[in-house]
Amino acid sequence: MGIGATRVDERIESALGIGEKCHVQFEPCQSVEYGGVLLLLPFLLANGLLAYQNHYLSRSGGYYNYDQAMLTLAFMLLCRIKSVEQFKHIQPGEFGKLMGIDRCPEAKCLRGMIKELVLQKKAGEWNSSLAEQWINDEQPAIFYTDGHVQVYHGHLANLGKKHVSRQKLCLPGMVEFWVNNGEGLPYFFITGQVNEKLQHIIEQNIIPQLNELVKQNKPTDLLPSDPDTPVYTIAFDREAYSPTFFGRLWDTYRVAVLTYNKNVKDLWEETDFEEIEVDTHMGKTTMILKEKQIEVDGVKMREVRELSKDGHQTSIITTNKVLSIVLIAINMFARWSQENFFRYMRQEYDLDRITQYGIDELDTNTKVVNREYSNLTHQLKKTREKTARRKAQLFELIEQNNKTPLEQTAENIKKQLKAKEEIDLLEQDQKNIIEKRKQQPYYITVGQMPESTRYNKLTTQSKHIQNIVKMICYRAETAFVNLIVPHYKRSKDERRALVKSVIFSQADIEPDYNNKTLTVTLYSMASNRDNEAVQKICIHLNDSETEFPGT
């Protein structure tokens, strides 16, 4: 039965296939660990935690249902229990009290239910449905997109190498391309197959999906009547910089871009800049801005520069013709919200954890960069570096010969001849490598790769399901933080810390089945200001009249 199991008869009947599934029935409890997590239940439900029911078939057998699995997974993540493996060491009887059952699903059972959901392969549909709901509620005009590398340290899969900027290394892994709003709230993500670039993913995957979602939320025609108004704007970093690409997005989809300029060498006159007072979520501030119209590779764009106190000019370019100069600057600098999202999710929700050990084969017609071509390019680079060093040594020897006595000339000439011979050999090696590389195509298909080094990919369905639950948890946490703002005027980091304190707090649980209420009494926080902030939030939670799933 397991430790904490008290509904023995129900469990035996369920095991024999003659009883109903576990029903939700709360009992009076005191000092329940993680009791504060119940305060986030309304936010979880409002953000679509149980919307999976519209896409997945219900569970046919077993004691638990999928609702309890989803609640367990969400509560687990909010309580910073970052993996099912860590969940082994949590008392199942105590955690079950949070969900009105005698014992929550243990790690093995939870893995089994996640596997059942994985086999239905509906994670993409669920994510699209949630993104549609969130976009409809928030109506963003700018979408932020960036790639995040999930580094792989195992030996089962054979993955291509990606540059991991936070580690400044090229490491094997898979890239997830996320789409967020200006506050860092996520909408959806796309997992790259091999080594796709951000440009390719934006044009081939993100824009078609966004067009569908925006079209569903706008009953009128997708294209605005004003020819200068974009359907929406996509903001990203310099990785996807290409004026030709920007022009194609506008001409084909009427999608504007917002990004940082690349290879900026000229400086504008500081006297041309103008101080402008702007409102941000952090309060009023002053920006020193200047705008010019530019044309690069035949594409007309707007360039906005922000002058910092130390004289540095940050250059921003956009094809959006209607945004004001202030909004261009504010929205571009808001891209850091997405970087902060990645950082927070890695630290608090273990976003990079591999949740399922398995591999899938790639389509053999998928084009990839020829690894042999890349290896030869690397050899050529190293040979050229050696040649440059030898030439530098030869130059030094010649200079030394001019300064040393005549008696040492013979010795110096020997050293120069030796260096010259090495340079000739290295230059010949360069020619040989270049000839070899000409015989190798730059792109080949996965099917043309040697079987021992052929690319494959990690199984993604389980990771996708858990990513969606993590998105919902992050959004629920953010909604809680936003309610704190009027009552807790401190930094954003402190508000997040307060939410964690609430989640980790103990609570008393008192059900009243006559009045159909569940009273959760949270134990005191560390200070009066924390208690006052949470107390005011409880009023909003009561007003929401949330029904606990299964009751």
Side-chain angles (χ1 to χ4, degrees):
M1 290 296 176
I3 294 173
T6 57
R7 303 178 186 176
V8 178
D9 293 342
E10 290 181 25
R11 289 178 177 273
I12 291 174
E13 289 174 356
S14 179
L16 296 173
I18 58 175
E20 296 182 357
K21 289 191 180 297
C22 172
H23 66 282
V24 178
Q25 184 172 354
F26 285 92
E27 296 178 1
C29 303
Q30 293 183 337
S31 302
V32 180
E33 292 290 336
Y34 301 116
V37 77
L38 287 171
L39 273 69
L40 275 85
L41 178 66
F43 304 102
L44 291 173
L45 299 180
N47 279 285
L49 180 64
L50 300 185
Y52 79 92
Q53 298 168 348
N54 301 325
H55 309 281
Y56 289 90
L57 300 175
S58 58
R59 198 171 187 223
S60 56
Y63 181 64
Y64 300 104
N65 57 42
Y66 289 142
D67 283 5
Q68 288 153 351
M70 286 296 175
L71 278 174
T72 301
L73 195 57
F75 284 175
M76 180 186 86
L77 292 168
L78 286 172
C79 295
R80 284 4 183 222
I81 305 164
K82 299 177 182 178
S83 69
V84 178
E85 188 67 25
Q86 291 180 9
F87 198 54
K88 284 181 177 180
H89 308 291
I90 301 300
Q91 296 175 342
E94 285 293 298
F95 212 81
K97 291 180 173 65
L98 299 172
M99 297 181 289
I101 54 181
D102 58 338
R103 170 190 167 94
C104 70
E106 64 172 10
K108 184 178 178 181
C109 178
L110 190 57
R111 278 200 202 97
M113 286 193 282
I114 292 173
K115 189 174 181 180
E116 291 171 12
L117 292 170
V118 164
L119 293 175
Q120 297 188 40
K121 298 183 178 180
K122 298 290 185 180
E125 290 182 17
W126 184 21
N127 192 4
S128 296
S129 174
L130 289 174
E132 180 187 345
Q133 173 194 331
W134 295 332
I135 290 173
N136 189 44
D137 291 341
E138 295 160 11
Q139 294 292 331
I142 298 179
F143 297 92
Y144 295 78
T145 182
D146 197 7
H148 178 74
V149 181
Q150 178 192 359
V151 180
Y152 177 70
H153 300 288
H155 303 286
L156 183 64
N158 187 17
L159 307 179
K161 289 187 176 181
K162 287 88 178 170
H163 182 259
V164 186
S165 56
R166 60 184 181 274
Q167 298 183 26
K168 298 182 180 178
L169 292 169
C170 285
L171 299 169
M174 294 187 70
V175 184
E176 290 176 342
F177 297 90
W178 289 75
V179 176
N180 300 54
N181 70 5
E183 296 177 357
L185 294 176
Y187 289 124
F188 62 89
F189 60 92
I190 293 165
T191 302
Q193 294 292 307
V194 197
N195 288 331
E196 292 88 350
K197 301 298 182 184
L198 185 56
Q199 280 187 28
H200 173 83
I201 289 293
I202 288 173
E203 191 166 10
Q204 300 299 322
N205 299 87
I206 291 176
I207 285 181
Q209 189 160 343
L210 277 178
N211 283 345
E212 285 300 316
L213 295 172
V214 171
K215 192 182 295 183
Q216 290 168 7
N217 295 318
K218 290 182 179 178
T220 57
D221 185 21
L222 188 63
L223 289 176
S225 55
D226 182 3
D228 289 339
T229 302
V231 180
Y232 50 82
T233 303
I234 298 181
F236 44 80
D237 59 15
R238 292 181 183 90
E239 181 187 346
Y241 178 88
S242 170
T244 306
F245 171 64
F246 303 160
R248 187 166 67 249
L249 292 188
W250 180 265
D251 294 338
T252 308
Y253 310 102
R254 210 198 287 180
V255 170
V257 300
L258 180 64
T259 186
Y260 292 110
N261 202 356
K262 201 172 184 180
N263 301 323
V264 179
K265 295 178 182 177
D266 65 312
L267 292 177
W268 293 355
E269 291 291 336
E270 293 189 8
T271 54
D272 294 340
F273 286 82
E274 181 184 354
E275 284 193 11
I276 302 175
E277 192 176 78
V278 297
D279 288 322
T280 68
H281 67 283
M282 301 294 290
K284 287 189 176 181
T285 187
T286 300
M287 286 185 176
I288 307 174
L289 303 172
K290 172 66 179 173
E291 177 186 349
K292 287 184 180 180
Q293 297 288 331
I294 63 171
E295 184 172 337
V296 184
D297 295 340
V299 180
K300 292 181 180 180
M301 295 180 285
R302 299 166 66 192
E303 181 177 6
V304 174
R305 292 196 186 181
E306 193 259 346
L307 180 66
S308 59
K309 292 179 181 178
D310 60 359
H312 177 73
Q313 297 182 8
T314 303
S315 176
I316 304 166
I317 55 174
T318 182
T319 54
N320 191 310
K321 302 175 184 178
V322 296
L323 269 184
S324 68
I325 182 174
V326 172
L327 287 178
I328 289 172
I330 291 175
N331 288 319
M332 190 66 246
F333 295 138
R335 203 195 71 80
W336 276 103
S337 64
Q338 192 172 37
E339 299 291 350
N340 294 335
F341 164 77
F342 289 142
R343 177 174 172 270
Y344 191 81
M345 293 297 283
R346 281 192 295 109
Q347 292 178 348
E348 302 294 333
Y349 290 100
D350 207 358
L351 182 65
D352 293 342
R353 179 178 288 273
I354 294 173
T355 58
Q356 184 179 2
Y357 293 94
I359 58 172
D360 289 334
E361 296 300 321
L362 289 168
D363 182 0
T364 54
N365 295 320
T366 302
K367 282 191 174 183
V368 295
V369 175
N370 185 358
R371 184 176 284 180
E372 187 60 33
Y373 187 97
S374 299
N375 291 339
L376 289 170
T377 301
H378 180 71
Q379 289 178 29
L380 183 61
K381 179 185 174 184
K382 293 298 179 186
T383 307
R384 283 173 173 166
E385 288 174 357
K386 284 182 183 179
T387 306
R389 287 196 294 270
R390 294 294 185 275
K391 286 181 177 180
Q393 290 172 5
L394 178 60
F395 179 79
E396 286 179 7
L397 288 171
I398 293 171
E399 289 295 311
Q400 287 175 8
N401 188 44
N402 295 332
K403 297 175 183 179
T404 54
L406 192 61
E407 293 82 11
Q408 295 183 10
T409 301
E411 185 65 27
N412 287 338
I413 289 174
K414 282 183 184 179
K415 290 180 180 179
Q416 291 176 32
L417 288 172
K418 185 180 178 182
K420 187 69 171 65
E421 287 176 6
E422 290 177 354
I423 291 170
D424 291 340
L425 288 172
L426 288 169
E427 287 180 342
Q428 185 59 43
D429 287 345
Q430 285 183 43
K431 291 178 182 178
N432 294 337
I433 293 170
I434 290 171
E435 286 301 319
K436 244 192 209 182
R437 194 175 66 168
K438 285 180 180 177
Q439 298 171 11
Q440 295 288 339
Y442 184 71
Y443 286 108
I444 59 173
T445 62
V446 170
Q448 291 173 321
M449 296 181 71
E451 195 168 346
S452 58
T453 59
R454 186 173 297 168
Y455 289 143
N456 49 28
K457 64 177 181 178
L458 295 170
T459 303
T460 56
Q461 276 293 317
S462 179
K463 179 76 163 59
H464 286 180
I465 290 173
Q466 296 199 38
N467 273 3
I468 294 169
V469 178
K470 288 174 183 178
M471 283 197 294
I472 292 170
C473 290
Y474 180 81
R475 281 179 158 271
E477 200 178 307
T478 304
F480 197 99
V481 167
N482 291 338
L483 279 183
I484 292 174
V485 172
H487 316 296
Y488 195 85
K489 297 190 180 298
R490 291 284 176 176
S491 70
K492 196 171 182 179
D493 290 338
E494 281 197 51
R495 295 177 200 141
R496 294 272 178 191
L498 176 58
V499 176
K500 287 170 66 176
S501 297
V502 169
I503 291 169
F504 293 152
S505 294
Q506 295 180 338
D508 296 342
I509 299 175
E510 184 67 37
D512 183 348
Y513 281 94
N514 292 326
N515 295 316
K516 297 183 179 180
T517 61
L518 181 69
T519 303
V520 180
T521 307
L522 198 68
Y523 282 28
S524 177
M525 299 281 101
S527 65
N528 284 333
R529 64 172 185 169
D530 292 352
N531 285 337
E532 289 172 4
V534 176
Q535 200 168 14
K536 290 171 182 175
I537 289 173
C538 287
I539 297 172
H540 295 289
L541 299 182
N542 289 335
D543 291 342
S544 72
E545 297 185 353
T546 302
E547 290 187 3
F548 196 96
T551 67

